[in-house]
Amino acid sequence: DPGFTEDRWIRIAECWPGNRAVVHHIIVYVLPPAGATAEPGRRNRFPRRIFLAGFAPGTRPLQTPEGWAKRVPAGSRLMFEMHYTPIGSPQVNRSAVALVFADEKDVTHELHTAGAINSRFVIPAHDPHYRVESEGIFASDVEMISLYPHMHMRGKSFRYEVTYPDGKKEVL
């Protein structure tokens, strides 16, 4: 509980792994209080959690363009989803998230995060080129500012392709 008594606008968020030997990745979610407005268009198992920031080896912190920020409703809590890599011995971890706030008067665009996740697949044994696909559908126009592929140890390549309402396709 960060103790926010008013809505806060986040311009930069950086996850800090406390023990890099075992922290594979971190996802920090905002859990708004009951009755708070969540992100529009959410279609997942956890409609009340809002992605705030993440860490995986090689990633950079969430840093929004000038005038853009994520809104964290007053009374929200933060939830850390931790994924660990076992190394064969007991370990201690105390990871953190650092936040840089924006002044509400400077915010011209509210940033939202959407995902295209496919976790229901099985890679056949000995298949070195198994293809997994996922999709996300937007109900209105969006301006995309970043993409974040995450495939653990099995992934070799990725490709983002957008299909516009007129049927035109573009590789991003």
Side-chain angles (χ1 to χ4, degrees), residues 25 31 62 76 88-89 107 109 113 140 144 147 167:
H25 72 247
L31 302 177
L62 165 73
S76 293
S89 63
V107 177
H109 295 81
T113 301
S140 60
M144 193 173 299
L147 300 167

Side-chain angles (χ1 to χ4, degrees), residues 144-165:
M144 193 173 299
I145 62 168
S146 69
L147 300 167
Y148 180 67
H150 187 73
M151 301 176 287
H152 288 252
M153 304 284 281
R154 305 277 189 253
K156 296 193 299 191
S157 66
F158 62 90
R159 173 179 153 146
Y160 286 100
E161 184 178 270
V162 63
T163 303
Y164 295 99

